[in-house]
Amino acid sequence: MSESDKTLSARRAFLQGSLAAVGGVAAGKAIAGGEGTPDPAITEIQPWRSTLGPGVDEVAYGQPSPFEAHVKRRNVPWLTAETKSSINFTPLHQLDGIITPNGLCFERHHSGVAEIDPSLHRLMVHGLVERELVFTLDDLMRFPRENHVYFMECTANSGMEWRGPQLNGVQYTHGMIHNVMYTGIPLRLILAEAGIKPDGKWLLAEGGDAAAMTRSIPMEKALDDCLVAFAQNGEALRPENGYPLRLVLPGWEGNMWLKWLRRLEVGDQPWHHREETSKYTDLMADGTARRFTWVMDAKSVITNPSPQAPITHGPGAMVLTGLAWSGHGTIPRVDVTLDGGKNWHLARIDGPSLNKSLHRFYFDFVWDGGEMLLQSRAHDSTGYVQPTKAALREFRGENSVYHNNGIQTWHVNQSGEVENVEIS
Ligand SMILES: Nc1nc2c(c(=O)[nH]1)N[C@H]1C(S)=C(S)[C@@H](COP(=O)(O)O)O[C@H]1N2
Ligand SMILES: [Mo]
């Protein structure tokens, strides 16, 4: 036997052994028949095997298989009056790995998508600077650039779940998040070109959409790890995600990641934003508000099984999977429980563990067919542990909408159906 033959047969023995050890439940079926009817998917010749398929160039920009048409962003129509100032959700239960495909990144617009002609787009830098500057996109392409994978989570993600379980699907409870590789120019290089005056402590960023949305950013963050990005996952930003330029604030809440970025103004204090005082603050139990809560704390969720992705294969070997992330760093550890927290197991984190990026975890186990209460709990690189929803409420009350990073519970019944529940 060659070395590779030996490895192969060892792996086969291991797989058979391990499946036998977990109760003899093999994932495949034996080929040798006798009993039952042969599988037509094996014995018949399907149309795609009997004719030539489409040639190259049939689809100039490739699209998913038509059999994947159910994999899509979805909105919740009753949440907002109309779609121009609204939100839709990433189908987390239909994805794997850590990268969100560009066409599935959730969208949040205050005034619809700005459809910008890049030749007419400019980035202006002014205010407390030595030189007020205007850049074309060509000008910006002469700056050094960097690539980073970052998650972007809307501040309101899971917000509808504060008072109790409400939306029956991980797409809706946790889908205001995406994770792509950005290519962009470090913001500090652009600011250095203009030269920040000594009293320049804040930065106002403005979007080129009809909302002319603005946000104040403290200068320490602007000079730290922010990017002016022009690409996501290797291609130009999508119009809905800010084409041709967006601000990237790693680890910070999504509402500050200005899309269609057109203006940066340096000032000595934060600007007053209607949105910021009325919406993007955390209302506490006593009626006071937490302001400037920018970093997204560690959080995780099981994406499969989940209400939109029930267990359809019956008892036996199965894969549980989910996502974990932290605006403070990486995720060295995720715990998973099948019984509502009585017993915790270490999940297996697979794929790259990147700073301020989604992490993928798996728990491979044998389902005995009984009811389960599934939860995951993230630990981040600062030692912080994801809190229960009860612990969050104790500290922040019931009036909050933003920054809900509490532990999510899914109830699985004996048919494998899954429901969004809460346990105390
Ligand atoms: N110019 C502009 N930037 C914006 C917004 C907007 O409406 N206009 N929405 C913000 C909010 S609240 C979020 S959560 C993210 C959404 O980014 P996405 O559409 O790429 O998911 O963009 C932020 N940046
Ligand atoms: Mo948001």
Side-chain angles (χ1 to χ4, degrees):
M1 250 202 270
S2 75
E3 272 312 304
S4 65
D5 283 348
K6 268 187 226 160
T7 325
L8 264 178
S9 71
R11 189 178 136 75
R12 222 171 283 133
F14 166 78
L15 269 172
Q16 280 159 3
S18 63
L19 285 169
V22 300
V25 197
K29 293 182 181 60
I31 292 176
E35 14 149 342
T37 42
D39 183 351
I42 288 285
T43 55
E44 310 274 297
I45 296 179
Q46 293 81 17
W48 54 87
R49 291 170 66 214
S50 48
T51 55
L52 298 180
V56 297
D57 277 355
E58 198 84 17
V59 186
Y61 193 105
Q63 297 296 312
S65 157
F67 295 97
E68 298 297 316
H70 56 292
V71 179
K72 58 185 184 187
R73 302 187 278 220
R74 293 177 175 84
N75 80 5
V76 176
W78 55 260
L79 270 182
T80 51
E82 52 108 351
T83 59
K84 300 224 183 285
S85 180
S86 190
I87 190 139
N88 61 18
F89 303 86
T90 306
L92 299 178
H93 61 295
Q94 291 166 321
L95 301 176
D96 214 319
I98 63 167
I99 296 294
T100 315
N102 288 339
L104 294 174
C105 289
F106 85 92
E107 308 165 76
R108 166 72 176 111
H109 318 309
H110 289 75
S111 304
V113 176
E115 291 183 318
I116 294 177
D117 173 349
S119 71
L120 296 177
H121 192 72
R122 302 288 182 270
L123 177 63
M124 173 162 84
V125 185
H126 69 133
L128 298 175
V129 293
E130 304 295 343
R131 295 165 294 279
E132 303 200 320
L133 297 171
V134 173
F135 298 100
T136 63
L137 293 175
D138 277 349
D139 296 334
L140 292 174
M141 290 308 135
R142 303 174 66 180
F143 282 91
R145 47 187 104 141
E146 293 181 5
N147 291 282
H148 297 275
V149 178
Y150 292 126
F151 77 82
M152 192 213 68
E153 184 180 18
C154 176
T155 332
N157 199 22
S158 315
M160 281 82 74
E161 304 292 308
W162 251 114
R163 291 169 198 218
Q166 177 156 213
L167 298 171
N168 221 23
V170 71
Q171 181 166 16
Y172 308 114
T173 57
H174 290 76
M176 290 189 213
I177 191 164
H178 51 61
N179 199 62
V180 304
M181 178 176 280
Y182 293 98
T183 310
I185 301 143
L187 177 58
R188 64 175 177 280
L189 299 184
I190 295 173
L191 293 173
E193 191 77 4
I196 303 163
K197 290 191 170 158
D199 47 352
K201 297 285 181 246
W202 286 83
L203 189 65
L204 180 86
E206 184 185 88
D209 48 342
M213 195 170 129
T214 55
R215 287 288 179 266
S216 296
I217 298 154
M219 196 56 79
E220 305 86 78
K221 180 66 175 177
L223 297 179
D224 183 15
D225 55 359
C226 295
L227 296 176
V228 173
F230 55 87
Q232 67 188 89
N233 292 333
E235 62 177 0
L237 295 171
R238 292 289 170 90
E240 53 271 45
N241 305 113
Y243 179 85
L245 292 177
R246 108 171 287 170
L247 206 53
V248 168
L249 289 89
W252 283 31
E253 56 187 32
N255 85 80
M256 301 173 80
W257 295 45
L258 265 286
K259 300 192 281 190
W260 314 293
L261 182 69
R262 66 178 296 271
R263 188 165 75 87
L264 295 168
E265 182 178 346
V266 177
D268 58 0
Q269 56 192 345
W271 282 256
H272 176 83
H273 305 292
R274 184 177 47 82
E275 295 266 359
E276 200 168 87
T277 44
S278 63
K279 286 174 71 189
Y280 289 100
T281 51
D282 296 315
L283 196 57
M284 304 281 280
D286 62 4
T288 61
R290 294 199 321 160
R291 201 165 170 233
F292 298 148
T293 47
W294 294 306
V295 181
M296 301 308 289
D297 285 327
K299 186 165 169 180
S300 70
V301 70
I302 294 169
T303 54
N304 308 77
S306 63
Q308 296 160 288
I311 306 172
T312 51
H313 53 53
M318 68 170 282
V319 175
L320 175 157
T321 186
L323 294 165
W325 61 96
S326 168
H328 292 281
T330 58
I331 300 288
R333 172 175 160 192
V334 177
D335 308 318
V336 162
T337 178
L338 309 177
D339 53 16
K342 289 192 201 90
N343 299 285
W344 288 95
H345 314 276
L346 207 55
R348 177 169 63 85
I349 296 173
D350 192 75
S353 170
L354 301 170
N355 188 30
K356 300 166 189 176
S357 160
L358 292 187
H359 289 57
R360 171 64 60 177
F361 66 85
Y362 297 98
F363 184 61
D364 310 293
F365 74 105
V366 175
W367 181 39
D368 62 9
E371 286 187 39
M372 294 187 283
L373 285 168
L374 306 179
Q375 296 179 328
S376 64
R377 181 172 68 189
H379 300 244
D380 79 10
S381 46
T382 69
Y384 173 94
V385 182
Q386 184 184 2
T388 60
K389 286 173 76 176
L392 270 183
R393 284 196 199 105
E394 207 163 296
F395 171 60
R396 301 234 304 268
E398 300 235 333
N399 296 328
S400 209
V401 173
Y402 299 111
H403 295 278
N404 176 7
N405 67 321
I407 290 175
Q408 172 68 44
T409 312
W410 304 128
H411 174 259
V412 182
N413 72 15
Q414 291 172 346
S415 317
E417 292 154 349
V418 186
E419 205 185 334
N420 180 6
V421 298
E422 216 171 284
I423 51 174
S424 41

